[in-house]
Amino acid sequence: MRCRVCGGLMQRGVTDLPFKQSDRSIVVIKNLPVLLCENCTEYSVEDPVMATVEQILDAADEAAELSVVKYAA
Ligand SMILES: [Zn+2]
């Protein structure tokens, strides 16, 4: 897979990413498997990973303004 921004090679890696859960709350997911561009800061989250992210967001506490969750496949 090539980067849609610069055309560089995308490499598998893990990173920590914030996701907006609602207007008020943010969930930071740690150790998220992503494809990272080796050339710029672009990243891509694959569909199966995104599905798991949605489950994590559903399960996260909406009353908390900021939650930090470790990704577990
Ligand atoms: Zn790139």
Side-chain angles (χ1 to χ4, degrees):
M1 184 175 170
R2 292 267 168 183
C3 175
R4 62 179 173 241
V5 174
C6 73
L9 267 181
M10 303 292 277
Q11 304 276 9
R12 271 175 202 286
V14 291
T15 191
D16 305 336
L17 283 181
F19 290 89
K20 210 160 182 253
Q21 186 193 23
S22 70
D23 285 347
R24 287 174 42 90
S25 55
I26 302 274
V27 179
V28 176
I29 302 181
K30 303 197 79 167
N31 289 328
L32 189 70
V34 292
L35 296 168
L36 295 162
C37 179
E38 61 180 14
N39 205 37
C40 73
T41 57
E42 188 66 15
Y43 63 86
S44 173
V45 181
E46 293 166 293
D47 288 346
V49 175
M50 207 60 221
T52 306
V53 166
E54 279 168 19
Q55 287 172 14
I56 292 170
L57 295 184
D58 280 350
D61 180 7
E62 270 189 57
E65 282 185 31
L66 179 71
S67 311
V68 180
V69 179
K70 196 168 175 198
Y71 182 89

